[in-house]
Amino acid sequence: MNIYYCLLMIAAQLVKQEKPKSRCSICKIRAYSFCRCLNDDKLQVFSKISLEKKYTDKQSIFHQNDPSTHLYNITEGNVKIYQLLDDGRIQIIGFLYPGDFFGTYRNHRYNYSAEAIGDLKTCVFEQKILDKYLDQNPVLAKELLNQTSFELTLAQDRVTVLGKLNAIERIARFLLNISNQRERIGWQNNPISLAMSRLDIADYLGLTIETVSREFSKLKTSNIIKIISSKQVYLNDIKKLEDFCK
């Protein structure tokens, strides 16, 4: 009995001594975020330089030309990034997904505005603190550079879409891009989730909302896609969608 009691006491002490898991170590999208290169010890420290912040649908995260004080990493939900043009119109640059890092700036001001699509969770970093940490961890800095380059890819892709493709081709490319982005973060890439509104899709693709609805109907009638709901689409024939983009 004494031996059994001693074993229980030892086990209890070991449980007490076990380090509590950090928010970062149990993050569901860690494998797809720039912090994936950090080992457990560094992750414990890293988790202390950020905080989790939640946003509701359509809530602004920051506005174009606001002072760039913080940087963000999406852990759950989606973000719309856009720019305000000189004539007052809004131009959507793209849509971001879990694992994406955003908040780039120029001359200490944000290059664009960011808005939550649906419920959103982010890791928020104070810019100065993160910069100091990156100076001490060059491997992490390299990972972050790879992540931020994705924002540039979004802008370049939009130029390609608007410059070379007709309406049906733009829709096809858009659907395939979302499928590819979901696959990139380890999610099921079919069916795809359309968290953004049809109006946002139209603005992003440089089309009217009527044209977007009409082209979606054509793809549905041709059995190339299946509309599961207003927010979910199944790609019945990915090959035919790819053919539109050639």
Side-chain angles (χ1 to χ4, degrees), residues 51-203:
L51 57 88
E52 184 179 71
K53 189 168 183 179
K54 299 178 181 180
Y55 298 87
T56 56
D57 186 35
K58 293 182 172 43
Q59 184 176 354
S60 175
I61 302 165
F62 55 79
H63 290 104
Q64 182 179 337
N65 291 324
D66 279 352
S68 55
T69 55
H70 293 82
L71 297 159
Y72 304 80
N73 194 54
I74 302 173
T75 57
E76 185 177 314
N78 304 100
V79 169
K80 173 177 71 177
I81 58 176
Y82 63 92
Q83 288 183 323
L84 185 65
L85 303 180
D86 292 338
D87 59 6
R89 289 183 297 119
I90 287 177
Q91 177 178 295
I92 295 178
I93 302 171
F95 305 100
L96 303 178
Y97 299 82
D100 287 337
F101 189 92
F102 67 101
T104 56
Y105 55 91
R106 183 173 59 248
N107 297 327
H108 305 291
R109 295 189 178 277
Y110 291 117
N111 297 333
Y112 50 75
S113 299
E115 180 182 291
I117 301 176
D119 292 332
L120 173 72
K121 289 183 182 179
T122 66
C123 274
V124 184
F125 303 86
E126 188 175 338
Q127 179 188 316
K128 292 180 179 179
I129 294 177
L130 180 59
D131 285 346
K132 183 178 179 180
Y133 189 85
L134 292 175
D135 288 340
Q136 300 168 354
N137 295 271
V139 175
L140 184 66
K142 183 178 179 180
E143 286 286 350
L144 182 55
L145 179 62
N146 292 334
Q147 287 282 26
T148 52
S149 66
F150 179 64
E151 291 176 334
L152 178 60
T153 302
L154 279 176
Q156 291 174 332
D157 185 71
R158 186 177 186 277
V159 170
T160 300
V161 167
L162 295 184
K164 297 182 178 180
L165 306 179
N166 61 33
I168 192 70
E169 292 167 345
R170 295 180 192 187
I171 296 289
R173 170 67 67 85
F174 177 71
L175 296 175
L176 289 172
N177 281 351
I178 292 179
S179 179
N180 292 335
Q181 286 169 334
R182 289 177 65 86
E183 186 175 18
R184 178 174 62 86
I185 60 176
W187 288 3
Q188 182 181 4
N189 65 343
N190 199 18
I192 60 173
S193 175
L194 299 179
M196 64 292 296
S197 68
R198 291 291 191 269
L199 181 59
D200 281 347
I201 294 173
D203 181 81

